[in-house]
């Protein structure tokens, strides 16, 4: 997990009989290869029967790191993310990493996304250069999710208000998704675990959207705005001060020299994280206020779709992504 006190530190802990142990078993704060900037994502990655699970992290220090726990917490730098294209005038040639995901068919291949809007396909066994670079986002990419049924397909979401669907062998996005009334960052995306064409997204304006590529690639099949469920805040009367009013007592005088500027605050009701339950048609959403909400999903066939074979799931996704061509 990421340490709450030191955001550049990776640590692992254990759960005691009474709950979670606050003392980490291993800590990277003293490791020579520790991250030097905030860690944005950590993930356990299954490396196969021989190697077992490995802990991987990504940071805005520009590094993707694999941590070994055989002899303490030791790091291996999988990739130093470098800026692509013209870097003239750029202070650092390293790109700030924000998220990553490993493909389902090869535990050595992963995709990493950066603050400059680019996505890179990388190999754990070759850290000299990218295998491929994908461009299309115009803002930081906050999440990458590989499809759980078809390895070449993956999603990304960005501060540019869009979700994009990619194929590993194409440098440009196959499909781009954005509701016409959305004008805010998309923080997270998640594939449904038992239907290849369904994914969810959450955005900075609080909205939660469900997309089914088999049904529609232009609009979400479900859209929910949790802020509509909230009561409006009470309006407090403004105190009346005769010294601050004109002589008729109706309108306040403005003093532009001393009037402080009104500062805009970020949307406190932003939906920031989304995850499908693996064994039930349930969607879990976290928001900027610290709330976690569970929604039951109906009408999308997520319960009955478990009877589809892997081949049929893949075929439906391919047809949705490439309706006029075969991959």
């Amino acid at each position: 997990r990421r340490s709450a006190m030191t955001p550049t530190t990776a640590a692992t802990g254990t759960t005691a009989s009474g709950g979670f142990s606050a003392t980490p078993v291993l800590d990277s704060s003293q490791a020579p290869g520790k991250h030097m900037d905030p860690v944005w994502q950590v993930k356990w990655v299954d490396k196969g029967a021989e190697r077992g699970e490995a802990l991987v992290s990504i940071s805005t220090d520009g590094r993707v790191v694999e941590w070994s726990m055989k002899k303490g917490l030791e790091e291996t730098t999988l990739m130093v993310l470098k800026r692509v294209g013209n870097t003239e005038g750029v202070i650092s040639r390293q790109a700030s990493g924000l998220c990553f995901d490993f493909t389902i068919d090869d535990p050595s291949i992963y995709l990493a996304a950066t603050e400059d809007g680019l996505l890179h396909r990388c190999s754990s066994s070759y850290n000299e250069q990218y295998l491929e670079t994908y461009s299309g986002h115009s803002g930081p990419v906050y999440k990458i999710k590989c499809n759980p049924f078809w390895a070449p397909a993956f999603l990304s979401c960005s501060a540019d208000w869009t979700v994009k669907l990619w194929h590993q062998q194409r440098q440009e996005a196959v499909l781009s998704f954005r509701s016409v009334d959305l004008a805010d960052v998309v923080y997270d995306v998640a594939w449904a675990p038992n239907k290849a064409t369904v994914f969810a997204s959450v955005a900075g304006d609080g909205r939660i959207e469900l997309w089914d590529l088999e049904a529609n690639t232009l609009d979400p099949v479900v859209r929910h705005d949790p802020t509509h469920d909230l009561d409006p805040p009470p309006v407090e009367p403004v105190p009346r001060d005769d010294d601050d009013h004109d002589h008729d007592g109706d309108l306040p005088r403005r003093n532009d020299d001393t009037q402080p500027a009104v500062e805009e605050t970020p949307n406190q009701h932003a939906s920031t994280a989304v995850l499908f339950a693996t064994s039930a048609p349930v969607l879990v959403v976290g928001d900027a206020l610290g709330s976690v909400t569970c929604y039951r999903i109906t009408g999308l066939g997520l319960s009955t779709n478990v009877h589809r074979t892997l081949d049929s799931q893949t075929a439906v996704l391919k047809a949705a992504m490439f309706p006029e061509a075969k991959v």
Side-chain angles (χ1 to χ4, degrees):
R1 68 179 179 88
R2 192 175 118 188
S3 170
M5 297 300 294
T6 51
T8 61
T9 297
T12 60
T14 59
T15 53
S17 57
F20 183 79
S21 172
T23 303
V25 175
L26 299 170
D27 190 326
S28 72
S29 60
Q30 303 302 318
K34 67 178 182 180
H35 286 297
M36 303 305 294
D37 275 349
V39 176
W40 280 81
Q41 185 181 354
V42 292
K43 185 175 184 178
W44 291 104
V45 178
D46 187 356
K47 293 287 187 174
E50 293 185 0
R51 295 188 59 190
E53 282 189 321
L55 181 65
V56 179
S57 61
I58 192 169
S59 166
T60 47
D61 66 3
R63 292 189 305 141
V64 182
V65 174
E66 181 177 314
W67 300 90
S68 171
M69 284 161 285
K70 294 180 179 180
K71 298 179 181 179
L73 200 58
E74 298 178 342
E75 62 85 25
T76 301
T77 298
L78 298 181
M79 178 64 73
V80 176
L81 301 169
K82 300 179 180 65
R83 295 183 184 273
V84 175
N86 185 11
T87 58
E88 184 177 353
V90 177
I91 297 176
S92 173
R93 288 182 56 83
Q94 289 185 200
S96 298
L98 295 180
C99 58
F100 68 92
D101 200 11
F102 280 73
T103 60
I104 60 170
D105 63 336
D106 188 342
S108 68
I109 301 298
Y110 63 95
L111 296 135
T114 61
E115 202 171 45
D116 55 14
L118 296 177
L119 301 88
H120 308 289
R121 183 159 59 96
C122 310
S123 172
S124 299
S125 55
Y126 183 68
N127 62 4
E128 294 298 321
Q129 63 183 31
Y130 305 128
L131 301 180
E132 192 66 83
T133 294
Y134 310 92
S135 61
H137 283 298
S138 59
V141 177
Y142 289 123
K143 197 67 68 176
I144 294 179
K145 288 294 177 64
C146 294
N147 188 272
F149 295 93
W150 192 35
F154 62 97
L155 286 169
S156 62
C157 64
S158 170
D160 66 6
W161 312 347
T162 68
V163 175
K164 295 186 185 295
L165 178 59
W166 309 78
H167 186 281
Q168 286 191 32
Q169 301 305 319
R170 299 183 179 223
Q171 292 182 322
E172 297 181 352
V174 177
L175 293 170
S176 185
F177 310 96
R178 181 198 162 199
S179 295
V180 293
D181 61 338
L182 175 62
D184 214 325
V185 54
V186 184
Y187 280 115
D188 198 6
V189 288
W191 288 105
N194 51 14
K195 190 172 183 181
T197 57
V198 171
F199 70 87
S201 63
V202 291
D205 62 358
R207 75 177 61 203
I208 304 163
E209 293 182 341
L210 286 173
W211 297 75
D212 187 350
L213 308 182
E214 186 179 15
N216 193 336
T217 58
L218 299 178
D219 298 293
V221 292
V222 176
R223 181 186 295 121
H224 176 63
D225 184 356
T227 61
H228 289 170
D229 301 335
L230 302 175
D231 295 328
V235 178
E236 297 183 0
V238 179
R240 184 185 180 94
D241 187 343
D242 291 340
D243 292 338
D244 290 334
H245 285 72
D246 290 327
H247 294 293
D248 58 8
D250 292 329
L251 298 175
R253 295 196 307 267
R254 291 189 59 188
N255 185 346
D256 292 334
D257 294 334
T258 59
Q259 188 82 8
V262 177
E263 295 184 1
E264 294 185 0
T265 57
N267 185 357
Q268 292 184 334
H269 301 292
S271 295
T272 55
V274 63
L275 183 68
F276 283 91
T278 57
S279 58
V282 171
L283 190 71
V284 183
V285 177
D287 64 28
L289 294 177
S291 299
V292 176
T293 307
C294 298
Y295 298 91
R296 178 168 290 277
I297 304 169
T298 59
L300 293 183
L302 296 184
S303 298
T304 59
N305 212 65
V306 294
H307 302 295
R308 276 189 176 182
T309 64
L310 176 61
D311 288 342
S312 64
Q313 292 266 22
T314 302
V316 173
L317 178 58
K318 288 181 179 180
M321 292 178 62
F322 306 99
E324 299 177 358
K326 294 183 179 180
V327 179

